[in-house]
Structures are given as C-alpha cells and as structure tokens.
Amino acid sequence: MSRVYNFSAGPAVLPEEVLKTAASEMLDYHGCGMSVMEMSHRSKMFDDIIKTAEADLRELLSIPDDYSVIFLQGGAHLLFGGIPMNFLHKKAGYIITGQWAKKAYKEAAKQGEAVVLASSEDETFSYIPDCSDLPITDDMDYVYICENNTIYGTKYHTLPNTKGRPLVSDVSSCFLSEPMDVTKYDFLYAGVQKNVGPAGVQIVIAKKDFLTDDVKPYTPDIMNYKLMAEKESLLNTPPCYGIYICGLVFKWLKEMGGLEEMGRRNAEKAKLLYDFLDQSKLFKGTVRKEDRSIMNVPFVTGDKDLDAKFVAESKEAGMENLKGHRTVGGMRASIYNAMPRAGVEKLVEFMEAFEKANS
Ligand SMILES: *Cc1c(COP(=O)(O)O)cnc(C)c1O
C-alpha cells in the first residue's frame, strides 16, 4: 500500500487513523456482526453512533444547549436553496466572495428579494470586502456569508458587522480547522467532504430561536430545519455511514488535543507555505495577505505552461490534486486538518527545487 499526499479541495484527505479504524470495523461493528452500512438507522447501535457524534461535536465547539445540531444530506447546494425557503420572508443580504456565495445568492433571488451587500468579484475574489458598515437594513431576515472561500483561498478573519441582523454562514472548508465561537452565528453549516468526512453529509448548527415553522409552503419536510432538528436528523434515513465517519473524525480531533491544537498546527502548516511564497521569485500567492485562508492556498507562476509542468511533476513526486480551480488557474494546495506537516514540508521542498530548475 502506498498513500500519496493528497492536496484535493474536496472530497479531501482524511486522517489515516480514522480510515484504519473504519477498515477494521467494516465487517463487524463492535461485535454486532454487521457493518455500519448494513444496520437500521432506528437501531440502538446507530442511535449510539449519531448521539455520540453529536456529543463529541458539541464538546469540540462548546456548542451551547440553545443551539441545535442537525445532520443533513444534499450538499451545500441544497442548503443554498433551503436557507431562503426557511428564512427569507422579506429580504436577505448576501456578501459575494466567490462562486459558492454567488450560487447561494442566486438560489435566494429565485425565492424572494436578495440584496448584494458587497462583492469582491472585481478582483477575481482575491480579497474579502470591508464589512464594517454594509447597507444592511432592519427588514433583512439574515446576512449570508461564505466564510472560507475554497476556490479563491480567502477567509473572513473578522465577521461582518450585521447591524444586529442574524448571521448565516457557509463554513464548509474551514469547519473544525480552529476554534470558533458558535454563538456569533444564528445558522452555520458545513459540507463535511472538505475538512471532516466523506461527501454526503452536511452539518448544521443553528440557534433554536432562529429555526422557524414559518417556512415557504413548498418546503419539503427534509428541508425544514426546525422539523429536522425536532426529529434529531432522523425524519428519514440519514447518511448513516458518513455520520459514523464524522464521529470517528471528532474522536480523532479530541485525541489530537481539540481545536486549539488543530488551529495551532494548521496555522503552522499554512505559514510554511506562505513564507515560501512570499520570498519566491517564481511562485506568487493570489490572495491579499490579510485575507488568506489557512486551509486553501492558491498560487501561480504567471506562466500557464510552467503551471502545467509543475502540476505534472508534483504528481510524479507523489503529491496529488495540486491543479488550481479553472477560474483561478495555476495551483491550489488544500491543507486540511488531515494533511500532515510532512506533506506541506515536502511540497515546499519540491517548489524550491522546481524554482531552481526553472529559472
Ligand atoms: C465545496 C463547497 C461547496 C459546495 O458543496 P457541495 O456539497 O458540492 O454542494 C459550498 N461551499 C463551500 C465553502 C465549499 O467548499
């Protein structure tokens, strides 16, 4: 068996320990004689799995009791539509910092009045707009952001001033990468295939008071978040196996020392790469420095052919998925929780050697 360093933006690298545990429990989960894939979602065994996963997540993020945790399916894309179905009554404000925020805005605009509060599209989403004094009005049901922009490599290091309006945030690609204060949000969600688990699960953390019965009449029950919270994510068959893997990742995070420690390690890994980029004569980061993400790091040489050569040669050297998103070009290294420091060190050494050989 040989594993590569996988810099994919998502689905992405998972902790090896977690994969090994899952492999060892594949045929017989804790002596019950079946796989988690084969058990009823109404069984005592699965009930333990989902309850333990929620409890561990609550502990990791210090989620208060007045917040619900919900496990959903359908991708972030289903939430783009589900959020306005549940919460858009009069108006909603959207800050457009990339493709995912823009898609969320478009879904909201299909259903009601969606207002663009700010955008960084003028510079290929390479920065986070100033959100200290946005044109937010009292009749806005919520303000929507995409907190870490997976494609462009930007992150809000300060949350917007929402002028008292509820904050809804897509945290898919930074979820559990460092501590976060859940109480600053009314509704946050993450597709887990970036930093937490396999594709097919979304985790919602929502203030109970924000969840409402007053949803649009066409809202399917499984997209009614208050109802899903009341049913403890078990209104219908949930993505059982994915939730189980998320639970193993939560245990792994606790063993690693929790989110403080994870944040420290992630900041260190990102610094290795950014320090190299900042002194390199060949490679250049594409993001305004103060808005850099510690999860997704895009960079370019400025020469398409050289970028392609880099991607091909890095693959030869055992580093996969370094090709950048088609809208940015160049390269992107996603360095999520499960990417070991050694992987980033290897990438930086490789970049150093590539620079020498190509200048
Ligand atoms: C990947 C990603 C999405 C899209 O997720 P799907 O599960 O494919 O719908 C949305 N938002 C962010 C921040 C992402 O990283």
Side-chain angles (χ1 to χ4, degrees):
M1 184 200 70
S2 96
R3 303 232 334 136
V4 295
Y5 285 122
N6 178 9
F7 293 92
S8 170
V13 58
L14 286 169
E16 239 171 70
E17 294 88 336
V18 164
L19 296 176
K20 283 182 180 150
T21 304
S24 75
E25 294 177 343
M26 180 60 78
L27 296 180
D28 179 6
Y29 177 76
H30 291 200
C32 75
M34 60 178 98
S35 166
V36 175
M37 275 186 243
E38 301 170 301
M39 62 178 62
S40 164
H41 59 295
R42 307 283 175 202
S43 65
K44 168 82 177 69
M45 261 117 38
F46 186 72
D47 192 57
D48 279 349
I49 289 172
I50 192 167
K51 293 260 164 63
T52 306
E54 178 174 338
D56 286 337
L57 181 64
R58 282 185 179 276
E59 187 183 327
L60 281 166
L61 280 168
S62 309
I63 303 173
D65 289 342
D66 60 334
Y67 279 72
S68 295
V69 172
I70 321 170
F71 297 95
L72 298 173
Q73 30 193 342
H77 278 70
L78 200 64
L79 277 130
F80 296 165
I83 287 163
M85 273 183 206
N86 281 255
F87 309 119
L88 174 52
H89 302 296
K90 272 208 164 130
K91 254 188 214 176
Y94 279 73
I95 303 172
I96 312 292
T97 52
Q99 184 169 309
W100 304 129
K102 196 170 174 177
K103 282 195 174 183
Y105 161 77
K106 283 188 178 159
E107 290 294 336
K110 287 182 194 170
Q111 300 186 49
E113 190 175 349
V115 179
V116 176
L117 295 169
S119 166
S120 53
E121 192 162 14
D122 57 340
E123 292 179 33
T124 330
F125 300 119
S126 59
Y127 69 101
I128 299 289
D130 176 1
C131 297
S132 57
D133 186 19
L134 297 168
I136 295 167
T137 48
D138 288 344
D139 58 356
M140 285 186 179
D141 298 298
Y142 59 88
V143 173
Y144 182 101
I145 63 168
C146 177
E147 199 158 325
N148 185 81
N149 295 279
T150 324
I151 295 173
Y152 305 94
T154 59
K155 160 102 204 274
Y156 285 80
H157 295 294
T158 312
L159 291 175
N161 171 7
T162 63
K163 304 188 175 172
R165 305 316 302 150
L167 179 62
V168 173
S169 181
D170 172 0
V171 298
S172 295
S173 49
C174 56
F175 192 50
L176 305 182
S177 65
E178 58 187 341
M180 76 188 290
D181 182 356
V182 168
T183 65
K184 290 189 171 146
Y185 305 79
D186 292 78
F187 188 98
L188 66 87
Y189 72 93
V192 304
Q193 76 270 27
K194 305 297 158 70
N195 199 28
V196 180
V201 181
Q202 287 71 236
I203 295 175
V204 165
I205 302 174
K207 199 176 200 169
K208 286 178 182 164
D209 281 353
F210 184 63
L211 296 175
T212 174
D213 293 316
D214 185 19
V215 301
K216 297 214 186 299
Y218 48 79
T219 307
D221 283 354
I222 57 159
M223 294 173 74
N224 177 327
Y225 303 130
K226 184 164 183 217
L227 186 61
M228 287 302 279
E230 281 164 9
K231 299 284 181 191
E232 300 183 312
S233 312
L234 293 171
L235 181 140
N236 70 327
T237 318
C240 302
Y241 196 77
I243 292 170
Y244 155 72
I245 300 288
C246 290
L248 293 180
V249 170
F250 301 155
K251 290 257 181 272
W252 177 80
L253 286 168
K254 283 170 62 177
E255 276 160 28
M256 297 293 281
L259 299 187
E260 292 280 348
E261 176 60 19
M262 225 50 240
R264 197 187 58 73
R265 289 180 193 218
N266 286 329
E268 246 178 52
K269 284 187 291 177
K271 186 169 186 306
L272 278 176
L273 195 43
Y274 284 126
D275 282 353
F276 174 75
L277 286 173
D278 287 344
Q279 60 74 54
S280 169
K281 296 208 166 50
L282 181 63
F283 297 100
K284 192 162 97 2
T286 57
V287 168
R288 193 197 271 175
K289 273 190 191 175
E290 59 269 33
D291 299 327
R292 284 170 165 175
S293 163
I294 59 168
M295 294 279 96
N296 310 98
V297 183
F299 54 94
V300 295
T301 64
D303 173 341
K304 273 197 180 120
D305 295 336
L306 208 51
D307 288 348
K309 187 176 178 208
F310 180 87
V311 171
E313 289 184 7
S314 59
K315 189 173 162 73
E316 291 286 303
M319 287 170 285
E320 296 268 350
N321 294 315
L322 281 163
K323 190 173 191 303
H325 192 270
R326 62 188 184 281
T327 56
V328 181
M331 283 70 71
R332 170 179 48 173
S334 293
I335 49 177
Y336 297 121
N337 284 346
M339 171 57 66
R341 184 186 164 101
V344 181
E345 282 168 354
K346 179 163 171 170
L347 173 60
V348 170
E349 276 162 31
F350 181 82
M351 289 167 80
E352 245 159 2
F354 187 89
E355 181 164 346
K356 273 211 190 91
N358 292 279
S359 49

